[in-house]
Amino acid sequence: MSEDIVFVCTADDCDAGPWEGSHDAMAHCAEHSDHGYTGHPRSEVTDVIPATVTRKRDNRNLQHKGHPRGALAQDD
């Protein structure tokens, strides 16, 4: 993600944002069925909301080879 892009809500009459992180824009728009978001150059907006911290997720398939521990299994 580029440092030069911020995310804004595209719904009419919505003044939420702009957000530094797309996950913050996604969270806002998920709460409202008619909202969406898009990226804009940072130079076009003011007062950007800093991105919230996200946790790294383990996206490995936990049912790998049918083992209950999946990719974490040591003896498959």
Side-chain angles (χ1 to χ4, degrees), residues 3-32:
E3 298 279 331
D4 299 328
I5 299 293
V6 294
F7 300 89
V8 296
C9 184
T10 58
D12 294 335
D13 301 323
C14 181
D15 57 358
W19 298 275
E20 185 178 59
S22 61
H23 52 279
D24 294 310
M26 186 185 318
H28 163 77
C29 294
E31 294 177 2
H32 309 281

Side-chain angles (χ1 to χ4, degrees), residues 8-76:
V8 296
C9 184
T10 58
D12 294 335
D13 301 323
C14 181
D15 57 358
W19 298 275
E20 185 178 59
S22 61
H23 52 279
D24 294 310
M26 186 185 318
H28 163 77
C29 294
E31 294 177 2
H32 309 281
S33 61
D34 58 339
H35 287 213
Y37 67 94
T38 188
H40 278 274
R42 184 182 288 268
S43 60
E44 292 182 6
V45 297
T46 59
D47 299 328
V48 175
I49 299 170
T52 56
V53 177
T54 58
R55 294 189 315 255
K56 184 176 180 181
R57 293 176 47 189
D58 183 359
N59 291 330
R60 295 177 290 184
N61 181 356
L62 295 181
Q63 295 301 316
H64 178 68
K65 296 184 180 178
H67 193 286
R69 291 213 46 206
L72 302 176
Q74 298 297 315
D75 57 352
D76 63 350

